Amino acid sequence: MIEVKGVTKKFGRKQVLKGISFTAEKGEITCLIGINGVGKTTIMNAIMALTPINNGQILINGEEIHKGSYEKITFIPDAITMLPQMKISDAMQFMDDFYDCWNQKRADEMLGFFKLDKNERISSLSKGNTAKVNLLLGLAMDVDYVLMDEPFSGIDIFSREQIAEVFTSHLIEDRGVIITTHEINDIEHLIDKAILLNEGVVLKEFNTEEIRENEGKSVIDVMREVYQS
Amino acid sequence: MNVNFNNRDPVYIQVIRHFKEQIATGSLEPGEEISSRRELANKLKINPNTAQRAYKEMEEQRLIYTERNLPSRITKDEQVLKAVREELILQAVDSFITSVRSINVPLEEVLDLVKENYEKHCDE
């Protein structure tokens, strides 16, 4: 389980996170929802300890993040971090050299799944294929938790469908996934839990099947209530 | 397989309904092997935990059965199969009644129209 407890974060005078708390279970897909600028990416960076937090605590399987945690959790940012002149195969080799948990077999399988050519250079990839390579590099690691920042943002419908397919496949297995999005339509039926954020606070945290079962509401119904009241 | 799920009913209940429809129409036969939970999630584009939940419920309702580690199968229990068929027919009739009632049609007229058009549908 990932536990985020009362996390606050200031950038200069701007309070970006104002006491965020939520949990994300292994074997579940947890979705952080909110319009741009509510602190979704900052939360991701905070979980990965890529940015120091001012207050609060973040635990992964009951422990604070340490060097060894990076073999248990990975972050897939919304833009590719590999050098543009690298081929896909170079990027894969880089990951293999850098991480013990790199799973070459799964990486090759994902190349096939996404129909990518490993000799293609990062610089010549379309937006959709860049997103797929990015996802491949993260998901080919044998980690317990995967954080994804806006994996569906700004790409074509067919790439979005293919990426959505990843969530229902064995590529996710029993891992815990945290995903951020500002568009819920594509993934409404794929997620277990939704966390609605606004201006650095959690407005509501709920299980999507439970809200449908107990209140007969769609995720969007709840978002309307929460954001427009 | 393309199923249009609505956003307001629990997905696992919609999955069960989908299976019941397939059983009643005969596209799934008694004793037929069904997809694994993961395959189903993938085919229907739903959360694997939801597929798991749907299978668990269907097992409890004895719609499907699983022997040891073998793939699950559709029930062969006549009672259960009969109940599924009756349930679906009743649901269809109920929704039909709701629609015609709202237009205030007398029962006799509705029955005549049903008889007339039921045959037409068969001919098509």
Side-chain angles (χ1 to χ4, degrees):
Chain A
M1 185 167 55
I2 295 178
E3 295 165 90
V4 175
K5 297 178 180 175
V7 169
T8 65
K9 171 72 187 174
K10 259 185 183 173
F11 286 114
R13 249 185 283 167
K14 192 167 186 252
Q15 186 88 39
V16 181
L17 305 180
K18 301 171 186 166
I20 296 271
S21 299
F22 67 89
T23 58
E25 305 282 339
K26 200 160 170 280
E28 286 194 357
I29 300 169
T30 301
C31 188
L32 301 177
I33 303 170
I35 53 164
N36 293 325
V38 296
K40 299 192 297 282
T41 305
T42 308
I43 294 171
M44 295 289 209
N45 283 325
I47 294 172
M48 295 303 290
L50 297 172
T51 186
I53 55 175
N54 298 118
N55 285 296
Q57 194 182 31
I58 298 171
L59 301 176
I60 298 165
N61 294 340
E63 289 177 13
E64 290 205 358
I65 199 161
H66 52 91
K67 203 161 159 260
S69 306
Y70 295 105
E71 298 283 340
K72 293 241 180 297
I73 182 167
T74 188
F75 177 41
I76 306 174
D78 65 345
I80 198 153
T81 49
M82 291 292 160
L83 298 171
Q85 65 270 30
M86 277 180 160
K87 290 179 183 170
I88 296 178
S89 57
D90 298 331
M92 286 163 66
Q93 189 57 51
F94 177 86
M95 295 300 281
D96 193 9
D97 292 342
F98 214 81
Y99 293 101
D100 289 338
C101 61
W102 178 254
N103 181 331
Q104 187 60 44
K105 214 177 125 215
R106 195 188 284 127
D108 288 335
E109 187 191 345
M110 287 192 77
L111 276 178
F113 182 86
F114 283 140
K115 300 186 178 66
L116 293 164
D117 172 7
K118 66 177 175 185
N119 294 314
E120 200 172 336
R121 287 189 196 281
I122 301 290
S123 55
S124 67
L125 293 170
S126 68
K127 244 182 163 174
N129 279 351
T130 307
K132 288 173 199 167
V133 170
N134 212 11
L135 212 58
L136 181 156
L137 296 175
L139 289 176
M141 308 220 306
D142 279 331
V143 290
D144 294 339
Y145 298 98
V146 183
L147 275 46
M148 301 184 197
D149 201 11
E150 299 273 357
F152 297 98
S153 171
I155 53 173
D156 64 280
I157 172 78
F158 299 114
S159 298
R160 286 214 301 273
E161 281 186 356
Q162 236 185 345
I163 290 174
E165 222 178 290
V166 168
F167 288 91
T168 62
S169 76
H170 66 283
L171 295 166
I172 293 291
E173 275 153 357
D174 297 319
R175 307 198 239 189
V177 177
I178 302 180
I179 170 174
T180 69
T181 189
H182 57 272
E183 266 183 284
I184 191 70
N185 297 20
D186 288 322
I187 54 167
E188 178 148 19
H189 292 141
L190 295 179
I191 62 173
D192 291 276
K193 193 198 265 185
I195 294 166
L196 305 186
L197 298 163
N198 196 30
E199 292 177 5
V201 293
V202 173
L203 294 180
K204 196 174 173 82
E205 174 176 352
F206 61 96
N207 176 293
T208 54
E209 277 284 86
E210 273 171 23
I211 211 103
R212 287 189 280 259
E213 177 134 49
N214 300 333
E215 300 182 33
K217 287 176 189 159
S218 70
V219 177
I220 293 166
D221 291 335
V222 181
M223 286 170 68
R224 267 200 200 99
E225 275 176 22
V226 168
Y227 289 118
Q228 297 189 333
S229 62
Chain B
M1 206 183 323
N2 222 335
V3 184
N4 280 323
F5 291 115
N6 70 55
N7 298 334
R8 295 199 172 96
D9 290 324
V11 178
Y12 83 92
I13 287 180
Q14 298 186 63
V15 171
I16 298 173
R17 200 181 298 148
H18 171 68
F19 269 89
K20 284 180 174 171
E21 279 166 9
Q22 286 190 299
I23 292 170
T25 57
S27 38
L28 280 176
E29 287 178 10
E32 187 173 333
E33 192 179 304
I34 56 172
S35 321
S36 72
R37 286 136 178 84
R38 180 68 73 185
E39 283 163 1
L40 183 82
N42 212 263
K43 271 196 264 185
L44 300 181
K45 303 185 174 68
I46 56 167
N47 185 300
N49 294 330
T50 307
Q52 170 67 29
R53 171 95 192 267
Y55 275 31
K56 192 171 161 266
E57 289 282 329
M58 288 199 290
E59 250 164 25
E60 278 166 19
Q61 295 180 24
R62 295 174 47 224
L63 283 170
I64 61 169
Y65 64 95
T66 316
E67 283 167 351
R68 275 169 281 135
N69 291 326
L70 296 169
S72 302
R73 290 176 182 277
I74 299 293
T75 185
K76 294 179 196 163
D77 186 324
E78 295 287 340
Q79 292 286 340
V80 177
L81 293 166
K82 204 173 142 221
V84 167
R85 185 168 174 274
E86 275 164 12
E87 185 191 330
L88 287 188
I89 295 171
L90 262 178
Q91 270 175 12
V93 170
D94 273 347
S95 76
F96 172 72
I97 292 174
T98 314
S99 339
V100 288
R101 272 232 157 161
S102 68
I103 346 178
N104 286 319
V105 201
L107 180 61
E108 289 306 314
E109 193 184 334
V110 172
L111 288 178
D112 286 344
L113 281 167
V114 169
K115 277 179 197 156
E116 202 178 302
N117 286 283
Y118 198 85
E119 295 305 319
K120 261 194 220 162
H121 273 275
C122 287
D123 295 342
E124 271 164 18

